[in-house]
Amino acid sequence: MAMKILVLNGSPRPKGNTAAMVEAFVEGAKENHHDVTVFEVCSKKISGCRACEYCHKEGKGKCIIKDDMQEIYPVLEEAEMIVLASPVYYHSFTGQLQCTINRIYALDKPKQLKKAALILSSGSDDVYGGAVYEYENSFLDYLKLEDMGVFTAFDKQNKSEEKLQELRDFGKSL
């Protein structure tokens, strides 16, 4: 059964390693007739959360900040799966992706969202700990999402046919 999938790509490089992994995943998912929307969050103007609580009081689930996050909210409301994709900077997500993740708070827990996956790229191995910890212990737990997998690539694995095929196969398997 076809699923609506939202991919938040936190890489500032449109032709970089993370983008190649996302592209391979999307290719596989579309082959299985899933409806996939990718947002390149680094090309968007998305501010950090102000912790003003407007969204949970008078805003009734709407964020007071009117920026490019407004494009993402309607897709997020309909998505059944979310994929976070990022190069690893200082053992975690890029700042742009982190701001986007924090702003999901306005919706509290998107009603259709049931599944999640994580795609990470880096120059070296053993640097994923911070991002994986946040994904597993904050993101999955808080939103009560089923973990569909964590996919990592480093050094020569980046853009390798084996790694890209792994992502295509994952997308196709959903």
Side-chain angles (χ1 to χ4, degrees):
M1 192 153 105
M3 194 174 17
K4 290 187 179 191
I5 302 171
L6 168 62
V7 179
L8 298 176
N9 181 359
S11 175
R13 295 182 179 157
K15 302 242 184 270
N17 298 321
T18 305
M21 292 171 76
V22 165
E23 197 174 296
F25 165 76
V26 170
E27 204 176 288
K30 285 188 172 180
E31 201 174 310
N32 205 7
H33 308 292
H34 295 299
D35 178 3
V36 186
T37 304
V38 179
F39 282 101
E40 310 290 339
V41 299
C42 291
S43 68
K44 304 285 181 193
K45 289 193 182 342
I46 299 174
S47 300
C49 177
R50 295 181 187 161
C52 67
E53 288 298 326
Y54 173 84
C55 58
H56 294 176
K57 293 180 181 157
E58 58 268 28
K60 296 182 177 73
K62 304 279 184 231
C63 184
I64 199 166
I65 304 169
K66 302 303 175 215
D67 60 9
D68 290 344
M69 193 67 192
Q70 302 308 315
E71 296 171 39
I72 296 173
Y73 284 134
V75 179
L76 183 57
E77 292 258 51
E78 304 249 322
E80 297 158 86
M81 179 175 177
I82 188 168
V83 177
L84 305 178
S86 182
V88 175
Y89 291 174
Y90 291 100
H91 302 275
S92 198
F93 306 122
T94 59
Q96 296 93 326
L97 180 58
Q98 190 63 61
C99 284
T100 306
I101 291 168
N102 290 353
R103 294 279 298 285
I104 292 172
Y105 178 71
L107 299 179
D108 193 27
K109 296 177 181 158
K111 314 258 177 297
Q112 307 302 317
L113 207 54
K114 304 288 182 247
K115 301 174 182 205
L118 180 62
I119 296 173
L120 298 172
S121 172
S122 76
S124 58
D125 202 6
D126 297 327
V127 297
Y128 307 113
V132 171
Y133 181 86
E134 182 177 343
Y135 169 74
E136 290 176 347
N137 296 292
S138 295
F139 199 73
L140 292 178
D141 283 356
Y142 181 73
L143 294 175
K144 306 287 185 246
L145 301 177
E146 178 185 353
D147 179 19
M148 301 305 290
V150 175
F151 300 86
T152 61
F154 73 97
D155 195 30
K156 290 179 175 38
Q157 291 177 349
N158 284 307
K159 293 188 179 174
S160 71
E161 190 45 46
E162 296 79 21
K163 187 53 70 173
L164 297 179
Q165 191 58 50
E166 179 185 350
L167 272 296
R168 273 186 218 99
D169 291 345
F170 170 57
K172 208 184 312 185
S173 75
L174 297 171

